[in-house]
Amino acid sequence: LPYILLILSHNYILSIVYIQLLWYTFLTVAKKESLFWKKVKTNLKSFRLMRIESWVNLGIPDVLGVSPRGVYFTAELKVTQSNKISLSPHQIAYHEERADAPAFILVQALSKKYPRKFTIHLYHASQVESLVVQGLKTEPIWTGDQGSWSNLEESWSKVIEQFVDNP
């Protein structure tokens, strides 16, 4: 009986450690994405952006935006320190269903060597399968460093407008 209790308590402790590790990972990623959202909101001034927090409809992107010409679009924000971009099955499905719509994935790739440096990569929903398999090796529709916000804004606007000009 003491041996069984030891095993049960050992498994219980491992379960608690595992849950704490998952929670820490979630909070770390959530915090990084929250900081990325603040940078996006602050630097893309010509867009009207609204953060969407949805626990009801899984897979709904983080941002609903309106371009300078009034075109609605969605954007999933991701932060990574590796080549991998983590997308849930619901997020993948959302983007697959909108492969011909103004739906995007905006990725902040943090530098491992220099914590304050990063690059930004913009992908269209039609690239979601490639992103899952190849990660950042997928050719973005736009890429730049942390000082290229105005270039991102201009390029992204042009891409969004294509959905109006070429429905």
Side-chain angles (χ1 to χ4, degrees), residues 4-60:
I4 293 172
L5 288 175
L6 179 62
I7 291 172
L8 287 175
S9 67
H10 180 68
N11 287 339
Y12 178 73
I13 290 170
L14 286 178
S15 295
I16 289 173
V17 169
Y18 180 71
I19 290 168
Q20 287 176 336
L21 181 61
L22 285 176
W23 183 247
Y24 174 76
T25 302
F26 169 76
L27 288 178
T28 302
V29 170
K31 182 177 180 184
K32 287 179 182 175
E33 286 187 4
S34 179
L35 292 172
F36 185 37
W37 156 246
K38 288 177 184 175
K39 289 176 185 166
V40 169
K41 177 82 171 154
T42 301
N43 290 290
L44 299 181
K45 294 177 176 60
S46 69
F47 292 141
R48 286 173 282 161
L49 303 172
M50 179 175 67
R51 180 80 185 225
I52 302 171
E53 297 290 342
S54 177
W55 292 92
V56 177
N57 294 325
L58 300 175
I60 298 295

Side-chain angles (χ1 to χ4, degrees), residues 110-150:
L110 302 172
S111 169
K112 291 179 186 175
K113 193 172 181 180
Y114 304 102
R116 293 182 184 239
K117 291 194 174 197
F118 59 88
T119 55
I120 307 164
H121 307 266
L122 178 64
Y123 299 95
H124 183 258
S126 61
Q127 297 175 281
V128 72
E129 288 182 37
S130 179
L131 279 173
V132 171
V133 175
Q134 298 179 341
L136 289 178
K137 291 179 183 171
T138 302
E139 185 70 28
I141 57 177
W142 182 90
T143 190
D145 63 21
Q146 68 260 23
S148 334
W149 290 102
S150 61

Side-chain angles (χ1 to χ4, degrees), residues 62-78:
D62 300 313
V63 177
L64 175 63
V66 182
S67 74
R69 279 187 47 199
V71 180
Y72 281 82
F73 65 94
T74 60
E76 180 65 41
L77 303 180
K78 290 295 173 184

Side-chain angles (χ1 to χ4, degrees), residues 79-86 107-110 112 135-136:
V79 177
T80 186
Q81 281 188 300
S82 67
N83 180 56
K84 186 178 183 209
I85 300 169
S86 298
V107 179
Q108 180 185 39
L110 302 172
K112 291 179 186 175
L136 289 178

